[in-house]
């Protein structure tokens, strides 16, 4: 290693003597001048010195109160530690440093405050729309209260503002602000805010402003209750109908559905605001009632709707009074009724064979004051609307007693012995008549029955002469016709008489000889004890 030579002479030219600097005795305190601490926090005050190798420290309060903390001195600095400040620590603290023969001192002011938590809002439980409500805002453990400012706001609008400038309390206290107002339904859901401000400079990270908000939940209603129904409050039969009950209420109300049936109100099976009628039937038409009740406001409100279920004609009935089988001359009332929506049109028609007659009715009723046989027939009621039609029919049977009786006697009422007499009867009646023929006789009554409405007297004799009663009857009534029949003796024809005489002469000519023979034979028999007719005849020959 090569060493470098230093030229002392040349080096001396550049050398100078540095002056020795001695620092002056100084002190400082941190934090300087002022510290702001929240009650309960730890505070450390530090006193430092320079220019003094062995300083002497002392701490005191200008009011000569206890320090309320612990002093630790080491070398050129000293610390005063207050583990948890309180209101009694709110003083000016003085640090004195002695460095013989000098003495210096400085002070720092401790300010304390209490602002530990957010405000607490309380709203009266009986809050109801239109009624006075009370809002209470409480600021817990605040100090110093003469710096406290409180705002009550609804959304961005200030409702109330209050300060405590005249309050010089020496302790941390709860401060409360109360405000009353009348909420409306528009206020529901809006925020009520309590804003607490404690504007103290130097509060560090702690907030100078604390806010608590709460939504308004005023109790009100029910009101403006309505029922939302299908268009025109009508539906087709078979559709599912939804009825929705809408109301304004807080808290939500209890809802009960009812329906008017005849003269009674019956409850429907639904526990919410929607009533469902599945496969609506014509019979589901009627008045529906939605009843809402708010248990907190103790108020009840109702809404009604008349629902019409449209259907083709139904329940069509056709009736007749007193019955469908009446006697001629009675009063007959025919009535046709039917239901349906839209309204049904009722047409009453009478059918007889191929002939159809439309009858004039009043509200589906047709009256016949004195019914006749011509009024009998089939009556049909047709009920129709734009959705369809339905019909019913009945048969009216008019019962008529025998009338217009016509009796024909053939060949006539005056006949000869041996002839046949035919009596024919025709009549007009319903139901068909029965008939019998009676001969009036003081001792014995002769009753004859017809064959197809015809009576026949065979080979009449004079004993058949007399009065006959023809009794024509049915279940409604009867009618009797009198017939007189006269039977006269037989009148012979001349030609027939001649034949009779000739025949009689022939018989006589034969009979006389035969008689004589018989007499003779008889006598002979008595003599001989027997007689042969053959021998006798041979002898005669």
């Amino acid at each position: 290693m090569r060493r470098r030579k230093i030229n002392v002479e040349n080096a001396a030219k550049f050398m100078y003597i540095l002056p020795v600097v001695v620092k002056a005795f100084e002190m400082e305190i941190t934090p300087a001048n002022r510290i702001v601490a929240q009650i309960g926090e730890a505070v450390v005050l530090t006193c430092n010195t320079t220019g003094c190798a062995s300083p002497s420290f002392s701490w005191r309060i200008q009011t000569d109160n206890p320090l309320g903390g612990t002093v630790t001195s080491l070398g050129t600095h000293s610390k005063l530690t207050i583990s948890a400040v309180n209101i009694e620590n709110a003083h000016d603290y003085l640090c004195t440093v002695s460095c013989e023969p000098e003495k210096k001192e400085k002070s720092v002011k401790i300010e304390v405050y209490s602002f530990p938590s957010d405000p607490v809002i309380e709203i009266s439980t009986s809050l109801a729309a239109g009624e006075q409500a009370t809002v209470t805002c409480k600021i817990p453990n605040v100090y110093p209260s003469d710096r406290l400012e409180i705002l009550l706001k609804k959304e961005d609008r200030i409702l109330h503002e209050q300060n405590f400038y005249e309050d010089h309390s020496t302790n941390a206290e709860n401060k409360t602000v109360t405000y009353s107002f009348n909420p409306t339904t528009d206020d529901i859901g809006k925020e009520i805010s309590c804003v607490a401000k404690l504007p103290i400079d130097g509060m560090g990270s702690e907030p100078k402003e604390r806010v608590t908000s709460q939504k308004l939940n005023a109790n009100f209603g029910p009101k403006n209750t309505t029922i939302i129904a299908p268009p025109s409050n009508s539906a087709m039969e078979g559709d599912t109908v939804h009825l929705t009950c809408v109301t304004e209420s807080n808290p939500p109300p209890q809802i009960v559905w009812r329906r008017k049936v005849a003269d009674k109100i019956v409850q429907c099976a639904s526990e919410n605001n929607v009533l469902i009628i599945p496969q609506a039937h014509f019979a589901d038409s009627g008045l529906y009632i939605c009843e809402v009740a708010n248990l907190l406001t103790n108020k009840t409100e109702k809404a009604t709707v008349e629902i019409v279920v449209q259907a083709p004609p139904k329940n069509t009935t056709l009736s007749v009074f007193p019955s469908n089988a009446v006697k001629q001359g009675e009063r007959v009332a025919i009535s046709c009724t039917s239901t349906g929506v839209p309204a049904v049109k009722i047409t009453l028609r009478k059918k007889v064979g191929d002939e159809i007659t439309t009858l004039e009715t009043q509200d589906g009723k047709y009256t016949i004051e004195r019914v006749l046989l011509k009024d009998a027939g089939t009556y049909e009621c047709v009920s129709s609307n734009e959705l369809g039609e339905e019909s019913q029919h009945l048969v009216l049977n008019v019962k008529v007693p025998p009338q217009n009786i016509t009796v024909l006697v053939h060949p006539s009422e005056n006949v000869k012995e041996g002839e046949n007499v035919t009596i024919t009867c025709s009549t007009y009646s319903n139901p068909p008549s029965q008939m019998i023929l009676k001969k009036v006789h003081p001792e014995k009554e002769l009753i004859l029955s017809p064959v197809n409405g015809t009576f026949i007297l065979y080979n009449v004799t004079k004993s058949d002469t007399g009065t006959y009663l023809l009794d024509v009857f049915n279940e409604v009534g009867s009618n009797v016709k009198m017939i007189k029949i006269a039977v006269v003796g037989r009148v012979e024809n001349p030609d027939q008489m001649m034949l009779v005489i000739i025949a009689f002469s022939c018989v006589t000519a034969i009979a006389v000889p035969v008689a004589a023979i018989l007499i003779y034979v008889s006598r002979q028999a008595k003599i001989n004890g027997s007689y042969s007719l053959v021998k006798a005849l041979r002898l005669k020959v």
Side-chain angles (χ1 to χ4, degrees), residues 29 31-36 45 89-93 107-111:
I29 190 168
N33 301 323
R34 175 175 174 267
I35 184 174
V36 178
L45 303 178
N89 298 127
H91 297 291
D92 287 333
Y93 283 78
S107 65
V108 60
K109 185 176 183 177
I110 295 180
E111 294 184 19

Side-chain angles (χ1 to χ4, degrees), residues 267-512:
Q267 186 167 333
C268 302
S270 178
E271 297 179 355
N272 53 42
N273 69 319
V274 178
L275 177 65
I276 300 177
I277 307 173
Q279 295 182 339
H281 188 268
F282 177 75
D284 294 319
S285 297
L287 184 70
Y288 287 81
I289 304 166
C290 170
E291 182 177 302
V292 293
N294 189 325
L295 301 182
L296 293 183
T297 61
N298 198 28
K299 292 182 179 179
T300 301
E301 193 171 76
K302 296 179 181 179
T304 62
V305 64
E306 186 81 27
I307 295 298
V308 177
V309 179
Q310 296 187 352
K314 291 181 176 296
N315 306 321
T316 302
T317 60
L318 181 60
S319 59
V320 59
F321 181 84
S323 72
N324 63 342
V326 294
K327 296 179 182 180
Q328 181 172 267
E330 288 186 329
R331 185 178 185 272
V332 175
I334 300 174
S335 177
C336 180
T337 61
S338 184
T339 56
V341 176
V344 297
K345 177 184 177 183
I346 292 178
T347 302
L348 185 62
R349 300 186 298 210
K350 179 188 174 186
K351 292 183 177 180
V352 178
D354 295 332
E355 183 180 352
I356 300 177
T357 305
T358 300
L359 306 175
E360 292 185 6
T361 61
Q362 185 173 3
D363 296 329
K365 296 179 180 179
Y366 179 72
T367 302
I368 306 172
E369 294 297 334
R370 292 182 59 84
V371 68
L372 300 174
L373 185 59
K374 67 182 182 64
D375 296 314
T378 300
Y379 287 79
E380 181 183 41
C381 171
V382 179
S383 175
S384 61
N385 65 12
E386 60 189 55
L387 300 179
E389 70 175 41
E390 187 179 55
S391 64
Q392 293 290 337
H393 71 276
L394 60 81
V395 176
L396 179 63
N397 183 18
V398 180
K399 297 181 179 181
V400 181
Q403 297 178 357
N404 302 331
I405 298 176
T406 301
V407 178
L408 297 176
V409 180
H410 181 79
S412 72
E413 294 179 353
N414 298 310
V415 294
K416 300 171 185 177
E417 283 185 309
E419 290 185 331
N420 293 337
V421 178
T422 301
I423 302 173
T424 304
C425 177
S426 63
T427 185
Y428 165 75
S429 68
N430 183 44
S433 299
Q434 299 181 38
M435 57 185 72
I436 58 175
L437 185 65
K438 301 177 183 178
K439 181 182 179 183
V440 179
H441 193 279
E443 297 180 359
K444 184 179 180 181
E445 187 178 59
L446 177 64
I447 299 177
L448 300 177
S449 298
V451 177
N452 297 326
T454 300
F455 299 88
I456 301 176
L457 302 177
Y458 294 97
N459 298 318
V460 296
T461 65
K462 288 184 178 181
S463 63
D464 293 322
T465 298
T467 301
Y468 291 80
L469 298 179
L470 180 59
D471 188 359
V472 184
F473 62 92
N474 63 10
E475 63 185 71
V476 185
S478 63
N479 204 331
V480 177
K481 288 291 184 178
M482 186 172 65
I483 306 169
K484 289 186 176 183
I485 295 178
V487 180
V488 298
R490 188 188 301 268
V491 178
E492 302 295 344
N493 189 300
D495 293 335
Q496 292 177 340
M497 288 298 295
M498 183 60 69
L499 293 174
V500 172
I501 293 171
I502 294 172
F504 181 76
S505 299
C506 292
V507 171
T508 301
I510 296 173
V512 171

Side-chain angles (χ1 to χ4, degrees), residues 28-50:
E28 64 177 357
I29 190 168
T30 56
N33 301 323
R34 175 175 174 267
I35 184 174
V36 178
Q38 182 161 231
I39 292 175
E41 289 182 343
V43 173
V44 177
L45 303 178
T46 303
C47 192
N48 293 306
T49 64
T50 57

Side-chain angles (χ1 to χ4, degrees), residues 43-45 59 67-73 78-83:
V43 173
V44 177
L45 303 178
W59 293 87
L67 288 176
T70 302
V71 175
T72 303
S73 298
S78 178
K79 291 183 178 180
L80 173 61
T81 303
I82 304 173
S83 59

